[in-house]
Amino acid sequence: MGTGIPVLTSGDGGRRPATPGGTHGPAVQTLPTGDVFTALNTSLRGLTSAEVAARRNRFGPNELPPAGRTGLWRDLAGQFTDLFAVVLLVASAITFLAYSLQDPHEAGTLQLAVAILGVVVLNAAIGFAQEYSAERTAQSLQAMVPHTCRVLRDGERQELPARDLVPGDVVVLEAGDAVSADCRLTEAHEVSVNNAALTGESDAVGRTGEPVAAGPVLQARNCVFMGTDVVAGSGKAVVFATGAATEFGRIFRLAAAAPRQKTPLQRQVALMARRVAGTALAIGAALFAVRLPTGQPFVETFVFALGVMVALVPEGLPATLSVSLAIGVRRMARRHALVKQLLAVEALGSTTVVCTDKTGTLTRAEMTVVQVWAGGVSHAVSGVGYAPVGEVADPGPGRELLHAAGLCCNARLVPPPGGTSRAVRPREIDAGGRLQSDREGWRVLGDTTEGALLVAAAKAGLDLAAEEAAAPRVAEYPFDSARKLMSTVHKTSDGYSAYVKGAPQELLARCTTIDWRGERQPLTDELRAAVTTANDKLASQGLRVLAAASRPLADSRAVRDEVESGLTFLGLAGMLDPPRPEVSDAVDACRRAGIRIVMVTGDHPLTAEAVARRVGIVRQPAPVVLTGTRLDTLDDDDLDALLAASGELLLCRVSPEHKMRVVTTLQRSGEVVAVTGDGANDAPALKHADIGVAMGASGTDVAREAAVMVLLDDSFASIAVAVRLGRSVYQNIRRFLVYVFSSNIGELVPIVAATFAGFPLVPITAVQILAIDLGSDVLPALALGAEPPEPDVMDRPPRSRRERLFSTAVMRRILFLGGIQALGVTAVFFWHIHASGIPYSDFTEDDPVYREAITMVQAGIVLSQFFNALAVRTDRQSVFRIGLLSNPWLIAAGCFGITLMAAISYLPPLQALFNTAPLDAADWAVLAGFGALLLSAEETRKWWLRRRRPTSAKGEGG
Ligand code: ATP
């Protein structure tokens, strides 16, 4: 096979080659199936490894060109256009203007103008670095869920990264797959795709494997395209274009086209910032108006008012907020919960209901058939896991069942590397257990339920590969979770046979006869009851039960309804799927956190209840079990009432549509709903939920795209961890808001007090305030944003969705802590001024007493902020209980701030810049004592809170 891919076009009028470098020829969609392989120089068995290597060289990886760097410049420019930056830029410009108007020019004014400009640049740099790193994090998180596809190469089915696809590859498509390249279908079983990414049309459209007339390739019903999704069915297709040569590649616009959405939290903070800026402006104007009539020079008064305004703007806040959210996202990723949108971080904290799947999320999804029931008799199956090591106690009666179920599977058993692909019989394991290693490392490619059936068939001595060769599959009706069945049609030596497997009740309803004790008998009511009893018995042990049936067919063209009716019931296979060990604790944690867990499963009610009991979701003797059929009979009000009333609730035998209905009903009654999903048709519920959670390991691409959070390990426990971290992120944001705003009060009050006391100068200058807001305050605020969750964070009820970030409790705490600070530094300032005995009007900026006094104020705020940071670490617990020094980052950040303050006080160049003076040990001692007082006051408040309300309540504290 050469690397040349001869004569193909996509046939979209312009005779664009369908493959890069291809020459012109007939449109790919017009070719009969056999010719597609010839034209793309490939075969039914797929490409050979050598051919793949050659084509990879020629066509490159199946990737779209990386986004350009224009986004970076735009991001950088954006930093200067945000509200804070604009306010500060205007302030700086006015200060420069004031300086130029001054006669003589005052160095202080120039310093202030430069300092404010410096602040804008510094802030922009921090913000930009943050956004850049957040982007990088998002990219690396995305890489954690690799986009894979299934292909046939060298006749073997393989799973590989989508970027490795080359033209000519034969891909295997199933419902839920994202299409990774432009392909021509050669086999299609009820395939429908969603082309929304390309055409904007979100309705699913049917696809065929047959040739169609020439025309625009996008409209060809036998082609599927990169960027679109398979929403139903299964099939095979040959890749004809990859990477930039695909239709998606052609219309691919840079991701920059989609503006980054702000989360409600970011919007709340932005709104608050706007309000603060407005307030700052008003206070600045008011002070200007009060001071001017007292005979102060115009320009100085103006600069003073400007300084106050700058002081009130929390400059470091936006950067701190994004850092804090980013830390939350990274922490969650480390705990296997990948958050795709920041929105989820905060929504997680207020989650009130989790609707969870069973298989894979609560259980391990490692299925092992442990019992088969056929002809009225049960037989145990030995062995665990996917190694075909074990035996069916009496394989005879169960053989027909496992034969039918095994042939009606798309999954494949993969032996361990270097292992054998044939079944290993127990007797082949020698006493030394040398083959034992084959037990480990067996994998299932595809659905694990099917994997378990394949293993059981092998244990019964069936060679399915030989059976399939003798009776090749000619048609398939893929599994879908609404029908709960799958069927295949096979050509046998004496005609055709249909094999159907699926949920027992659904299958039983389509059977008319049964294999009973070696004979085919009419399925009487009595025998139906026997099947149901056997099914219930297996299900109540927590086993997942599948049934299989078969029927002969006259020809291969039978429609689905014909294939799936008049069947002969062959028996049941009961599979064990052990609960995940970590789930019980997580369920417990959610219970304590006031989060309701609703199990939503397609499985049998008895299986569901048994599993729910095992993991602790159900504890009452009689939980409410609602089946899909019952759900259909309820109107919205009934459902509302039922969901509101019942505590422990299991939704069984439900389809994705039911799931969607339950999610919307819960939301209508004010719940914040997280819902898990893995299948393609779970996408609507995932999108609609407040937090759609998809499975990273076993879920479909479609579900992962629809979700805002992906669980890398599929485990329910990761949801509980994410909720805990989500709650703590929100708490931490409140903490640093309290921290940052209380220091603002400490900065503002002495200025206002001095104005009203008629003191001609400011107790703290704008440059000093900037040094606090952007020097000593920023790192502790960041460290607070990284504070680990409080131990009792999951012992509180979920935060109300209506609760504002700046709740009354938060405001009260800001006023309490800020008030103490303000009182302290104002007292220190005036005590210092009065102690000198100099009249107010004689003070000048160069006066050593004044310089000392303003240094005391600045140092007073810095020191009390250190204690403040320690105090806000807990909401109601004593900080001494979590360990005063248990956040080393915070201690380091606080020490940095104090060192910076000491440098401002002692180093001559900084003294000149800040107009400060050296403090002596006694000064520091007084200020530290005052800081300790603040901590004690806050501890007393918390003690009082604990005494008043022994258990924590909603929205408390900061
Ligand atoms: P959960 O993940 O909550 O356990 P589920 O996997 O049981 O949900 P579905 O995947 O919709 O939900 O399966 C519903 C029922 O369909 C299963 O209980 C089983 O009886 C049957 N079933 C599952 N997989 C297959 C399959 N591959 N072929 C045929 N029938 C299947």
Side-chain angles (χ1 to χ4, degrees):
M1 222 184 263
T3 53
I5 297 176
V7 279
L8 271 187
T9 70
S10 56
D12 55 351
R15 294 185 64 76
R16 188 176 61 86
T19 50
T23 45
H24 299 319
V28 68
Q29 68 268 41
T30 60
L31 296 171
T33 308
D35 294 358
V36 176
F37 291 98
T38 324
L40 285 155
N41 224 341
T42 181
S43 77
L44 268 169
R45 290 171 51 81
L47 296 169
T48 62
S49 315
E51 188 63 21
V52 168
R55 291 190 190 193
R56 176 105 41 80
N57 271 342
R58 182 166 165 212
F59 299 113
N62 177 32
E63 283 173 340
L64 295 176
R69 307 204 68 80
T70 48
L72 283 186
W73 290 110
R74 199 176 310 148
D75 282 352
L76 190 61
Q79 303 295 334
F80 290 95
T81 50
D82 95 17
L83 185 82
F84 281 140
V86 171
V87 169
L88 293 177
L89 280 175
V90 171
S92 170
I94 295 176
T95 322
F96 271 118
L97 188 72
Y99 174 73
S100 64
L101 291 178
Q102 272 172 342
D103 190 18
H105 295 309
E106 281 208 21
T109 312
L110 184 62
Q111 271 172 10
L112 179 63
V114 174
I116 299 176
L117 201 61
V119 166
V120 180
V121 173
L122 192 73
N123 225 13
I126 297 176
F128 176 70
Q130 261 324 307
E131 263 176 35
Y132 187 68
S133 98
E135 203 104 310
R136 292 268 302 271
T137 309
Q139 278 166 10
S140 65
L141 293 183
Q142 231 157 35
M144 286 167 90
V145 190
H147 189 171
T148 58
C149 56
R150 287 174 296 277
V151 295
L152 286 174
R153 282 183 181 173
D154 294 317
E156 284 281 315
R157 203 163 139 172
Q158 309 177 4
E159 193 162 316
L160 37 96
R163 72 186 294 276
D164 289 351
L165 279 183
V166 292
D169 260 328
V170 178
V171 295
V172 181
L173 296 169
E174 274 172 25
D177 286 349
V179 181
S180 309
D182 288 1
C183 317
R184 158 69 203 269
L185 281 160
T186 53
E187 193 182 314
H189 308 290
E190 308 202 318
V191 172
S192 53
V193 291
N194 182 335
N195 281 343
L198 277 181
T199 60
E201 176 54 61
S202 60
D203 287 341
V205 283
R207 299 278 107 166
T208 167
E210 303 303 318
V212 297
V217 71
L218 263 180
Q219 282 165 27
R221 290 191 61 236
N222 57 9
C223 292
V224 289
F225 304 96
M226 178 195 251
T228 66
D229 302 316
V230 181
V231 290
S234 64
K236 292 199 181 111
V238 185
V239 173
F240 65 80
T242 57
T246 59
E247 291 298 315
F248 192 70
R250 286 207 304 156
I251 59 160
F252 176 66
R253 301 271 178 275
L254 299 179
R260 236 176 268 124
Q261 292 281 327
K262 285 218 182 325
T263 74
L265 187 71
Q266 286 171 318
R267 280 200 294 267
Q268 271 194 59
V269 171
L271 178 74
M272 180 272 307
R274 236 172 287 146
R275 289 203 182 130
V276 171
T279 314
L281 215 67
I283 293 181
L287 287 178
F288 179 73
V290 172
R291 282 181 87 106
L292 199 61
T294 62
Q296 306 272 343
F298 182 87
V299 173
E300 273 70 23
T301 313
F302 194 81
V303 171
F304 158 81
L306 210 63
V308 173
M309 211 188 79
V310 171
L312 282 180
V313 176
E315 291 86 1
L317 200 60
T320 316
L321 180 71
S322 37
V323 174
S324 174
L325 285 172
I327 290 173
V329 170
R330 265 180 239 148
R331 273 198 186 145
M332 287 182 189
R334 242 181 279 138
R335 307 295 301 272
H336 310 295
L338 209 143
V339 172
K340 296 197 305 183
Q341 290 172 20
L342 286 181
L343 180 69
V345 180
E346 43 176 308
L348 271 166
S350 47
T351 305
T352 57
V353 183
V354 179
C355 295
T356 174
D357 281 347
K358 174 175 66 66
T359 305
T361 315
L362 300 170
T363 67
R364 292 217 252 232
E366 287 165 13
M367 310 268 180
T368 312
V369 175
V370 290
Q371 274 194 49
V372 291
W373 181 90
V377 192
S378 259
H379 304 280
V381 183
S382 63
V384 281
Y386 297 121
V389 182
E391 277 182 326
V392 181
D394 177 8
R399 260 179 98 89
E400 269 301 295
L401 160 78
L402 293 171
H403 173 257
L407 285 184
C408 182
C409 281
N410 283 332
R412 204 170 70 84
L413 263 186
V414 186
T420 165
S421 60
R422 79 201 154 91
V424 182
R425 313 291 301 149
R427 60 180 170 277
E428 291 178 27
I429 302 172
D430 64 17
R434 258 182 296 136
L435 272 180
Q436 205 74 6
S437 62
D438 279 356
R439 277 170 172 270
E440 288 148 24
W442 282 79
R443 284 188 308 125
V444 170
L445 207 61
D447 183 6
T448 51
T449 302
E450 293 191 348
L453 291 170
L454 297 179
V455 174
K459 287 175 182 172
L462 289 164
D463 181 347
L464 287 176
E467 306 274 352
E468 172 106 42
R473 188 190 287 191
V474 290
E476 175 192 332
Y477 296 100
F479 173 73
D480 83 66
S481 40
R483 207 168 99 255
K484 299 184 173 58
L485 296 176
M486 166 176 174
S487 347
T488 53
V489 179
H490 296 252
K491 179 159 179 32
T492 58
S493 50
D494 43 347
Y496 292 91
S497 279
Y499 299 118
V500 188
K501 71 176 193 321
Q505 291 308 331
E506 272 74 0
L507 192 57
L508 197 60
R510 293 161 188 265
C511 291
T512 48
T513 52
I514 182 168
D515 257 2
W516 191 255
R517 314 242 149 92
E519 279 176 35
R520 181 148 310 176
Q521 297 203 2
L523 195 51
T524 58
D525 288 348
E526 218 169 292
L527 288 176
R528 274 183 204 278
V531 173
T532 307
T533 310
N535 181 28
D536 289 354
K537 198 167 157 210
L538 292 172
S540 56
Q541 295 165 40
L543 300 179
R544 180 180 180 82
V545 193
L546 244 79
S550 68
R551 66 163 291 175
L553 287 170
D555 64 55
S556 64
R557 289 183 311 245
V559 292
R560 191 174 79 192
D561 281 346
E562 190 183 343
V563 169
E564 293 179 352
S565 60
L567 292 158
T568 301
F569 195 84
L570 299 175
L572 304 167
M575 309 174 192
L576 186 73
D577 178 14
R580 286 171 173 272
E582 71 278 15
V583 166
S584 299
D585 285 347
V587 167
D588 231 36
C590 287
R591 236 177 231 280
R592 273 186 284 116
I595 298 168
R596 184 169 170 207
I597 304 169
V598 177
M599 184 197 266
V600 186
T601 174
D603 220 332
H604 191 284
L606 291 172
T607 312
E609 190 179 331
V611 174
R613 278 196 193 287
R614 234 169 267 171
V615 297
I617 291 180
V618 165
R619 288 184 187 166
Q620 294 166 0
V624 176
V625 179
L626 191 60
T627 60
T629 330
R630 172 85 203 291
L631 237 164
D632 287 334
T633 64
L634 297 176
D635 65 22
D636 285 351
D637 293 338
D638 291 344
L639 184 60
D640 256 343
L642 193 91
L643 291 180
S646 41
E648 292 182 341
L649 178 63
L650 303 177
L651 296 167
C652 307
R653 286 274 174 258
V654 291
S655 66
E657 289 71 34
H658 294 128
K659 198 189 242 184
M660 172 75 179
R661 191 169 164 216
V662 169
V663 168
T664 42
T665 309
L666 285 167
Q667 283 178 319
R668 250 202 327 266
S669 51
E671 306 283 0
V672 178
V673 187
V675 63
T676 68
D678 45 16
N681 30 17
D682 282 330
L686 289 176
K687 277 205 180 122
H688 211 276
D690 298 278
I691 302 145
V693 184
M695 303 301 139
S698 65
T700 56
D701 299 327
V702 174
R704 285 197 287 256
E705 271 163 36
V708 292
M709 188 164 103
V710 179
L711 300 181
L712 296 174
D713 61 354
D714 293 7
S715 173
F716 179 84
S718 302
I719 303 180
V721 169
V723 168
R724 183 164 149 261
L725 291 172
R727 286 186 174 193
S728 96
V729 166
Y730 199 83
Q731 268 187 344
N732 287 346
I733 290 172
R734 281 187 160 174
R735 290 198 176 117
F736 71 66
L737 288 178
V738 171
Y739 172 81
V740 166
F741 280 101
S742 43
S743 81
N744 271 8
I745 297 184
E747 290 156 359
L748 178 70
V749 168
I751 298 179
V752 176
T755 303
F756 286 105
F759 189 77
L761 302 167
V762 280
I764 180 164
T765 65
V767 190
Q768 282 180 299
I769 289 171
L770 289 177
I772 294 174
D773 288 1
L774 287 148
S776 48
D777 258 11
V778 167
L779 291 181
L782 288 178
L784 280 173
E787 185 75 24
E790 252 188 285
D792 67 347
V793 69
M794 290 295 267
D795 294 335
R796 308 172 193 189
R799 186 182 83 240
S800 156
R801 180 190 241 164
R802 280 184 296 278
E803 191 186 300
R804 286 164 304 117
L805 188 62
F806 281 89
S807 63
T808 324
V810 170
M811 295 305 282
R812 253 192 256 135
R813 205 170 177 190
I814 292 176
L815 289 176
F816 180 68
L817 292 166
I820 298 177
Q821 271 192 35
L823 219 69
V825 291
T826 313
V828 162
F829 180 78
F830 282 104
W831 166 68
H832 216 80
I833 296 290
H834 280 280
S836 70
I838 308 170
Y840 281 4
S841 53
D842 288 358
F843 273 101
T844 64
E845 274 179 8
D846 302 324
D847 196 308
V849 175
Y850 171 71
R851 292 179 66 170
E852 248 170 53
I854 63 170
T855 313
M856 289 282 277
V857 171
Q858 187 182 354
I861 293 174
V862 170
L863 274 177
S864 61
Q865 278 294 81
F866 178 72
F867 287 95
N868 189 6
L870 295 176
V872 297
R873 287 182 61 210
T874 56
D875 292 346
R876 40 182 289 129
Q877 260 184 31
S878 162
V879 276
F880 295 98
R881 265 195 65 193
I882 62 162
L884 197 61
L885 308 179
S886 58
N887 182 348
W889 290 110
L890 189 65
I891 304 296
C895 290
F896 168 80
I898 295 171
T899 314
L900 185 72
M901 183 62 234
I904 290 175
S905 169
Y906 298 118
L907 298 184
L910 292 180
Q911 284 173 350
L913 184 67
F914 289 94
N915 198 29
T916 45
L919 300 181
D920 59 27
D923 294 335
W924 286 105
V926 167
L927 297 175
F930 152 63
L933 205 72
L934 179 133
L935 182 61
S936 322
E938 176 66 356
E939 281 291 303
T940 313
R941 190 189 68 84
K942 287 180 203 162
W943 168 82
W944 181 70
L945 206 68
R946 288 197 299 273
R947 238 179 68 111
R948 206 169 52 121
R949 257 178 296 155
T951 51
S952 48
K954 288 183 192 191
E956 202 164 72

